[in-house]
Amino acid sequence: MLEEFKNHIKTNFPLLLKYPFLVAVSGGVDSVVLAHLCALCNLDFSIAHCNFKLRDAASDGDEDFVRQLANKLNKEIYVTNFDTNGYVNSNKVSIQMAARELRYNWFAKLLEKNKLKTVVTGHQADDNLETFLINLSRGTGVDGLVGIPAKTELATRPLLPFTREQIVAFAEANFITWREDQTNKETKYLRNKIRHKIVPVLKELHPTFLQNFENTQSNLQETATLANNHIKQIKEQLFVQKGTVTEISVLELLQYKPTKTYMYALFNEFGFTEWQDVANLLTTMSGKQVLSKTHRLVKDRDVLLLQELKERSSDVYFINEEQTAVDHPIYLKLEQVSALDATNDATIYIDKTKLEFPLVLRKWEQGDVFYPFGQQGKKKLSKYYKDIKLSVVAKEEQWLLCSGNKIVWVVGKRADNRFSVKDGVSSILKISLLQ
């Protein structure tokens, strides 16, 4: 197995031969053998161990064992303790999900802090099969059937071609000891139930089942690659970036069938889960939206608008009378002038004597009206937005410059007539929007 492992690293993970990395060691046979194999290959690595505090003395025993292993291999070790149950309660996730999120977040911080390239984990062929069956039982697309990736931005998994049987045999042949997690024998967890009750039957039905499965997964991965390339080409054609918003033509999206499948493929990476709602955006009225934890997708006339969700610290900013510039949330230049010059959407001249300081920069509010410069009378701001065909997202991002409760300027679009400069006015304020 050692020679196979060396060749596998050389062929598929040359990065591990050049740069230092982390090995995640739980104390179980897979990760312990992985650490020994990396040491036998003279690779440059440190050990990372997470104590999830879920099994009382047994968890502390695992930590002590891994510390001793690091000392035996003469490797630096990083250890952390988690309040896993507290994380479960505060984040409303399963223990398995909590443990995954906690350890990978910690791994990412370790890599950044210590300038390490990757964290190497002990996932092997049987883990891959179990993950496949779990995803299959829950209902999944191709992404859920291609198995555990050998390489991600964060993790590397060089044991995936090796079976649990091979790993245990290597440990026994080389007098390597490890810790047995007794909870792995309990069948109340789905993975353990699959491991102990389903996988043995599948292997019994066909002696080469695991190898056949690996061949099937390889075919699925190639199919997934073809599909991903196709989707990438469609995105390059349809996704038009406009500032912070991505615009996608509804008419062009409707040309792709089956619609729901294409919508999933195009928008899955943005965290959406309510796929029927996403598909319905194509035929619903303007203004409807679907949210994920990180993004929103909004129907706006004949396009969908995709935007990342960002927290806003405040939507109200004040401008004092003595200020000559504003650099947040937008860039404005304010200067006292003696006469009018050419105006445009980005420059206005106003009668300073009519202003009430501090001026306010804010967003649209229900009931807002203004008196558009060059027109007679007042207009609802919502009607003005509609007239100039401002998108749903653009409406939300549009800044208003106000004096008291009066709108002075729909910034970059239209000034308010009430503040225009009349003949004889000498106190003139020029305000320019800087791009």
Side-chain angles (χ1 to χ4, degrees), residues 44-149:
D44 185 4
F45 68 95
S46 306
I47 288 175
H49 175 76
C50 304
N51 186 337
F52 294 102
K53 295 292 183 179
L54 292 172
R55 296 180 293 114
D56 301 321
S59 291
D60 294 333
D62 291 344
E63 179 181 326
D64 292 339
F65 174 84
V66 176
R67 287 184 184 277
Q68 292 172 25
L69 174 64
N71 184 59
K72 179 181 177 180
L73 297 178
N74 194 29
K75 296 297 179 182
E76 185 173 5
I77 183 170
Y78 304 97
V79 175
T80 191
N81 292 265
F82 293 121
D83 176 14
T84 311
N85 285 321
Y87 188 90
V88 167
N89 294 331
S90 60
N91 292 276
K92 309 302 179 186
V93 295
S94 67
I95 287 178
Q96 290 81 4
M97 182 58 69
R100 174 181 173 78
E101 291 178 0
L102 286 167
R103 68 177 178 268
Y104 278 106
N105 288 339
W106 182 59
F107 291 155
K109 292 176 183 176
L110 279 179
L111 295 182
E112 182 178 4
K113 180 179 179 181
N114 297 285
K115 295 181 172 55
L116 301 173
K117 291 295 182 180
T118 187
V119 57
V120 175
T121 67
H123 294 90
Q124 32 79 352
D126 290 77
D127 294 324
N128 213 3
L129 173 59
E130 292 160 11
T131 299
F132 172 89
L133 293 172
I134 288 171
N135 290 339
L136 186 65
S137 70
R138 290 172 174 167
T140 184
V142 174
D143 289 345
L145 299 179
V146 296
I148 302 171

Side-chain angles (χ1 to χ4, degrees), residues 297-335:
L297 196 58
V298 185
K299 174 70 176 294
D300 189 69
R301 301 179 180 85
D302 56 354
V303 297
L304 295 184
L305 304 177
L306 177 67
Q307 184 184 43
E308 184 179 359
L309 296 176
K310 294 183 179 179
E311 290 187 11
R312 300 175 186 173
S313 57
S314 173
D315 274 347
V316 178
Y317 300 87
F318 297 96
I319 303 173
N320 296 320
E321 185 171 1
E322 64 273 12
Q323 280 185 246
T324 58
V326 175
D327 60 11
H328 185 79
I330 53 177
Y331 294 95
L332 296 177
K333 181 180 179 182
L334 299 90
E335 54 185 322

